[in-house]
Amino acid sequence: MNDQNKELKKAGLKATLPRVKIMEVLESTVIQEEAHFSAEDIYKELLSRGENIGLASVYRVLTQFEAAGMVKKHHFEGSHAVYEVLGDHEHMVDIETGKVLEFQDSDLIEKLNKIANDSGYDLVDHNLVLHVKKIDS
């Protein structure tokens, strides 16, 4: 059983051809610089790979993946919805170019957990987006 089938089964989803192919596209983007893709981007990539999966199916599968906790949907600074495979990182959006940058900071996560704990809660999820502007050199 390949990795996509295992992930789908773990999430309680059957390994249908559209789900497997869409997960392949999402996972192949993890190693690329740009890891946030719209449903249309995924659809175009599927077409370029010779896959016959319609745009409506892409939207439907992404919604299922989101509900199963396999991907996260974002609406960055005036953009349409984009999706990414879940990961341990935060986001910064360049307000001038719209470029989305990712970063990791374990000290920040520890601080967020402490804030929640000090208030009597466990942090189960968070959504942090920094809106940034390039410093003139």
Side-chain angles (χ1 to χ4, degrees):
M1 186 181 290
N2 66 28
D3 289 342
Q4 287 87 12
N5 289 358
K6 287 178 187 174
E7 281 188 57
L8 290 167
K9 187 174 182 179
K10 191 170 108 178
L13 298 171
K14 289 174 72 172
T16 63
L17 182 66
R19 288 177 182 153
V20 169
K21 295 299 180 183
I22 291 168
M23 184 52 69
E24 285 175 2
V25 169
L26 286 167
E27 288 181 340
S28 72
T29 63
V30 171
I31 58 172
Q32 296 175 7
E33 184 176 315
E34 179 57 64
H36 305 95
F37 293 91
S38 68
E40 293 83 3
D41 294 333
I42 294 167
Y43 172 69
K44 288 175 189 172
E45 177 62 22
L46 289 167
L47 286 178
S48 75
R49 294 179 181 196
E51 301 296 340
N52 188 19
I53 299 171
L55 183 57
S57 294
V58 172
Y59 275 106
R60 185 170 42 259
V61 168
L62 288 171
T63 300
Q64 293 165 349
F65 285 177
E66 183 184 13
M70 297 172 66
V71 300
K72 189 157 192 169
K73 181 179 182 178
H74 297 283
H75 290 276
F76 293 122
E77 207 60 33
S79 74
H80 50 284
V82 291
Y83 300 84
E84 70 174 340
V85 176
L86 294 180
D88 252 354
H89 60 269
E90 310 304 326
H91 298 99
M92 292 188 293
V93 178
D94 183 318
I95 61 170
E96 294 175 338
T97 66
K99 182 175 181 173
V100 178
L101 308 157
E102 295 180 351
F103 69 96
Q104 290 181 309
D105 187 327
S106 58
D107 292 337
L108 175 62
I109 300 305
E110 284 181 35
K111 181 69 174 168
L112 294 174
N113 276 304
K114 183 177 179 345
I115 291 168
N117 290 160
D118 288 352
S119 298
Y121 293 93
D122 284 327
L123 180 66
V124 294
D125 192 18
H126 70 279
N127 187 16
L128 176 65
V129 178
L130 304 177
H131 301 269
V132 297
K133 181 178 175 184
K134 193 83 164 170
I135 299 171
D136 294 326
S137 313

